[in-house]
């Protein structure tokens, strides 16, 4: 009887056992590019020497993929990095139109990016990403009166290829928001003149 | 009446007396005090549940407020979420024999509290 008891116990324990592997999210080898460039000839000429610092304290770190089921219910899935993508793209934007702050100087402009909406949903194989970012240009020492402040919202669609890779629609949304921001401030002559005065 | 017939009658009676009741409990703008423009929406909707079983004088399942447990479950499903906005609380109850004559259920009552809302991350000031 003892052998049967052991078999029954093992049989009862077997369904409770499990192996959980933590998969690491990876970014694509080549970051996809959906906009021409962040380079603005007007800004490069007039603000290219203004030291700028990036502030992402209020940017959501990740976007959780929510799967819409046929029953109408939703099920959360893996989370993909958003803040890291925004940081990388903003670094390119600053290098293109302003200048990164040196260790020996104070920043004259603060580029502050706050997230308002990061909704990533999946319906079958189709992905949809709604991104809303508030972008501000501030004086780092007097943040109550920003030089510029606007909220941008875009919605991109993509296809689910690999659950461990950041979807292209995340890159596309971030790049389109930043391109809209650059286009808007480039067209604002008063703002460009004000920012150009900050160059050392 | 033999034993089998009695058992069948009892089971049939219980089956007809059994039922599932779903009722909206409450709807609030947010689970935490938040101000306009100071949060990030992380998903369109998320749900969390908490199930308790009441039988006689006992309650089985998570101790304490089922709404708080369901809220924690919902918030925990989305990475980085701090609170829910447009939060609805629904209560689903499955009972075998419902009576108001006794202050306690004589057969187990399954109660599931479901909290649904938009998960948000609160921004630092």
């Amino acid at each position: 009887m003892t052998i049967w008891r052991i078999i029954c116990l093992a049989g009862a324990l077997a369904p409770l056992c499990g192996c959980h592997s933590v998969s690491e999210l990876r970014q694509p080898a080549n970051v996809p590019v959906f906009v021409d460039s962040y380079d603005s000839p007007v800004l490069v000429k007039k603000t290219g020497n203004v030291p700028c610092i990036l502030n992402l304290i209020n940017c959501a770190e990740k976007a959780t993929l929510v799967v819409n089921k046929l029953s109408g219910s939703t099920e959360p899935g893996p989370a993909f990095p958003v803040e890291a993508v925004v940081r990388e793209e903003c670094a390119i934007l600053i290098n293109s139109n302003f200048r990164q702050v040196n260790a020996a100087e104070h920043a004259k402009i603060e580029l502050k990016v706050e997230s308002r909406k990061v909704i990533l949903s999946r319906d079958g194989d189709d992905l949809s990403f709604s991104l809303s970012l508030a972008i501000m240009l501030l004086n780092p020492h007097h943040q109550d009166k920003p030089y510029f402040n606007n909220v941008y919202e875009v919605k991109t669609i993509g296809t689910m290829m690999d659950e461990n890779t950041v979807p292209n629609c995340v890159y596309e949304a971030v790049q389109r928001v930043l391109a809209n921001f650059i286009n808007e401030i480039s067209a604002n002559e008063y703002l460009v003149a004000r920012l150009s005065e900050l160059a050392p | 009446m033999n034993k089998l017939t009695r058992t069948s009658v009892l089971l049939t009676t219980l089956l007809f007396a059994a039922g599932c009741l779903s009722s909206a409990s409450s709807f609030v703008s947010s689970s935490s005090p938040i101000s306009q423009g100071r949060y990030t929406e992380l998903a369109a909707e998320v749900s969390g549940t908490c199930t308790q079983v009441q039988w006689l004088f006992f309650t089985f399942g998570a101790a304490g407020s089922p709404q708080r447990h369901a809220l924690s479950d919902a918030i925990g499903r989305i990475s980085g979420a701090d609170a829910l906005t447009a939060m609805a609380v629904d209560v689903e109850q499955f009972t075998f024999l419902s009576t108001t004559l006794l202050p306690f259920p004589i057969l187990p009552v399954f109660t599931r509290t479901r909290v649904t809302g938009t998960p948000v991350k609160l921004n630092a000031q």
Side-chain angles (χ1 to χ4, degrees):
Chain A
M1 281 306 279
T2 309
I3 188 73
W4 286 110
R5 276 190 207 160
I6 293 170
I7 290 171
C8 288
L9 185 63
L13 284 176
L16 301 176
C17 297
C19 183
H20 178 66
S21 67
V22 179
S23 58
E24 194 167 324
L25 291 170
R26 59 179 183 270
Q27 295 189 346
N30 296 313
V31 173
V33 178
F34 296 92
V35 294
D36 291 337
S37 166
Y38 297 133
D39 290 356
S40 162
V42 179
L43 287 175
V44 172
K45 188 178 171 186
K46 298 196 172 178
T47 64
N49 197 32
V50 179
C52 180
I53 192 169
L54 179 63
N55 181 349
L56 291 179
I57 195 166
N58 285 328
C59 186
E61 193 181 346
K62 290 181 178 178
T64 302
L65 177 65
V66 175
V67 182
N68 298 320
K69 293 186 166 180
L70 286 174
S71 61
S73 62
T74 55
E75 182 67 36
F80 296 100
V82 170
E83 186 194 352
V85 174
V86 173
R87 186 179 298 279
E88 285 172 14
E89 296 295 328
C90 283
I92 298 170
L93 184 146
I94 289 173
N95 288 332
S96 302
N97 300 288
F98 302 98
R99 178 168 62 79
Q100 294 283 359
V101 183
N102 296 326
E105 65 180 350
H106 293 292
K108 294 295 175 93
I109 299 179
E110 180 178 315
L111 175 63
K112 190 174 185 181
V113 181
E114 293 186 352
S115 57
R116 294 281 185 267
K117 189 191 287 183
V118 285
I119 298 179
L120 183 60
S121 58
R122 177 183 173 184
D123 208 338
D125 279 340
D126 297 330
L127 286 185
S128 163
F129 184 52
S130 289
L131 176 70
S132 177
L133 294 178
I135 304 183
M136 286 154 271
L137 285 173
L138 306 156
N139 179 336
H141 306 293
H142 302 284
Q143 300 207 343
D144 51 333
K145 289 182 181 175
Y147 298 121
F148 179 82
N149 181 10
N150 202 0
V151 179
Y152 300 90
E153 184 163 353
V154 295
K155 186 173 184 177
T156 54
I157 53 173
T159 310
M160 192 71 192
M161 301 295 286
D162 177 1
E163 290 204 346
N164 294 327
T165 305
V166 182
N168 282 358
C169 57
V170 172
Y171 286 100
E172 184 179 357
V174 173
Q175 290 175 7
R176 293 208 184 285
V177 163
L178 294 181
N180 290 345
F181 161 70
I182 280 295
N183 289 340
E184 188 171 354
I185 63 170
S186 301
N188 188 334
E189 291 177 11
Y190 172 73
L191 176 66
V192 173
R194 232 179 132 192
L195 295 178
S196 64
E197 292 171 2
L198 300 172
Chain B
M1 208 184 290
N2 62 24
K3 200 172 180 180
L4 182 65
T5 311
R6 266 187 288 177
T7 308
S8 301
V9 169
L10 182 63
L11 285 175
T12 308
T13 308
L14 282 178
L15 188 66
F16 278 105
C20 192
L21 177 73
S22 178
S23 57
S25 176
S26 63
F27 187 90
V28 292
S29 57
S30 66
S31 62
S32 296
I34 55 175
S35 45
Q36 188 69 30
R38 305 300 304 172
Y39 61 86
T40 303
E41 291 181 18
L42 299 177
E45 186 182 288
V46 69
S47 292
T49 58
C50 175
T51 303
Q52 287 182 329
V53 181
Q54 286 97 29
W55 186 38
L56 299 177
F57 301 103
F58 308 105
T59 299
F60 302 95
S65 163
Q67 288 189 16
R68 293 180 75 94
H69 289 295
L71 176 63
S72 299
D73 182 36
I75 291 173
R77 285 168 177 262
I78 301 292
S79 173
D82 297 319
L84 295 184
T85 60
M87 188 182 88
V89 182
D90 301 287
V91 177
E92 297 161 359
Q93 208 169 48
F94 181 80
T95 176
F96 289 107
L97 182 63
S98 178
T99 174
T100 54
L101 297 177
L102 295 171
F104 53 85
I106 52 174
L107 287 173
V109 174
F110 296 82
T111 305
R112 183 161 74 167
T113 306
R114 179 188 296 276
V115 168
T116 308
T118 303
V120 296
K121 172 188 176 294
L122 305 182
N123 287 351
Q125 293 297 317

